[in-house]
Amino acid sequence: SAPYLRVSASGQMVDRSGRLLYAFLNEEEQWCLPRALDEISPHLVRATLAVEDQRFYSHHGVDAAAVLRAVWQNVRHRTIVSGASTLSMQVVKRAKRSRRTLLAKALQALSAVRLDLRVEKSQILETYLNSAPYGMNLVGCEAASLRYFGKPARELTLAEAALLAGLPKSPSALMPLENPERARARRDYVLSRMFEEHLIDRAEFERAAGMPLKVAWHAFPDLSPHLAMRFRPMIDESGRFRTTLDRRLQAA
């Protein structure tokens, strides 16, 4: 199960409280800033489950009901209009690339069942949120939240979380900086799914759906770059290098 839970993280230098000071691109030239599940907004967790895997906590890697629904819809329309990938299957798929064939899908499902039986659900969910694509070269919700909203994922509002939760379905087509209307429509769909799953009430749905996107290009923190370059070997080795600096004082 270990290879499936591995995330290619960017090297990070943080301050004494764990706040990001400086980050390097990872080996794939992507921004990936993994965070523990308790450092991610509950809004994003619920939005992701609502739109990606509603029965996440009740199945064992493969959602039989979703598979039957997908088969019926695809046969009815004589083309692939619906999938049945669970979060476990998506985690497996990203860790082990394969061709889109029925055999590959079956093996992916088997691996997802094995993963689900061996690790906690929270680990699978955390891995998904730290490895999902959110547009451009942004991998994981923390990098996406910092880029689009200029704040860490733990501070996301309901509307912001719903926007991010909808992006992995088609990161390029839904990228909010280039396709704001598509991104907003997808956000509102995520909110509607949350309402239908009784994760939010009608007032929360209407308030969030009425919010503007408020996305913009935010640069990643660029504090103490000379110190980051000096300690880069240790940053690369540890992944997340903590200093005694204070981010607020350093920014000032």
Side-chain angles (χ1 to χ4, degrees):
S1 60
Y4 297 130
L5 302 179
R6 190 175 296 122
V7 176
S8 181
S10 299
Q12 303 169 61
M13 186 174 77
V14 300
D15 77 350
R16 64 182 69 176
S17 301
R19 293 169 295 194
L20 186 66
L21 291 169
Y22 196 92
F24 296 95
L25 290 164
N26 67 10
E27 294 179 354
E28 287 79 37
E29 296 296 306
Q30 299 167 328
W31 297 106
C32 180
L33 309 170
R35 294 294 180 264
L37 197 57
D38 60 8
E39 295 180 276
I40 298 171
S41 168
H43 291 311
L44 182 58
V45 172
R46 289 193 290 267
T48 298
L49 293 176
V51 77
E52 292 288 348
D53 195 347
Q54 300 88 15
R55 288 175 286 275
F56 176 68
Y57 287 106
S58 61
H59 66 63
H60 295 290
V62 175
D63 187 346
V67 170
L68 292 174
R69 183 203 67 225
V71 169
W72 164 247
Q73 291 180 344
N74 295 340
V75 169
R76 183 182 177 189
H77 293 87
R78 298 183 180 180
T79 186
I80 297 176
V81 297
S82 177
S85 291
T86 61
L87 294 187
S88 303
M89 291 174 69
Q90 292 183 58
V91 166
V92 167
K93 180 180 179 181
R94 292 198 185 100
K96 191 176 182 180
R97 304 288 181 179
S98 61
R99 298 177 64 183
R100 295 187 64 180
T101 64
L102 287 176
L103 177 59
K105 197 74 172 178
L107 292 175
Q108 184 187 111
L110 180 60
S111 296
V113 171
R114 288 175 175 170
L115 177 65
D116 210 88
L117 292 174
R118 291 176 180 175
V119 305
E120 297 292 331
K121 288 282 190 180
S122 59
Q123 291 179 273
I124 297 172
L125 182 55
E126 182 180 297
T127 301
Y128 174 86
L129 290 169
N130 283 317
S131 62
Y134 290 92
M136 298 182 288
N137 62 340
L138 304 171
V139 174
C141 61
E142 181 75 5
S145 184
L146 287 172
R147 176 66 81 211
Y148 295 136
F149 302 113
K151 60 183 176 182
R154 67 174 177 270
E155 297 177 10
L156 290 168
T157 66
L158 174 58
E160 293 165 347
L163 174 68
L164 290 193
L167 298 183
K169 177 180 175 62
S170 185
S172 298
L174 297 170
M175 209 277 282
L177 294 176
E178 294 181 357
N179 305 297
E181 294 305 316
R182 288 184 185 177
R184 179 164 186 159
R186 178 66 176 165
R187 179 201 70 179
D188 293 349
Y189 170 74
V190 174
L191 289 169
S192 70
R193 290 294 304 125
M194 294 181 76
F195 177 64
E196 291 165 8
E197 293 293 323
H198 307 291
L199 297 172
I200 57 176
D201 59 32
R202 181 170 293 279
E204 290 175 306
F205 166 72
E206 292 178 350
R207 184 163 55 249
M211 294 289 291
L213 287 188
K214 291 185 178 178
V215 293
W217 176 280
H218 295 274
F220 288 109
D222 186 19
L223 299 170
S224 303
H226 295 95
L227 189 66
M229 296 300 175
R230 177 181 175 185
F231 287 116
R232 182 161 190 179
M234 284 178 277
I235 294 173
D236 290 340
E237 182 179 346
S238 64
R240 198 175 184 185
F241 184 78
R242 187 182 292 269
T243 70
T244 57
L245 297 177
D246 182 282
R247 176 171 161 162
R248 291 191 181 91
L249 291 175
Q250 190 65 26

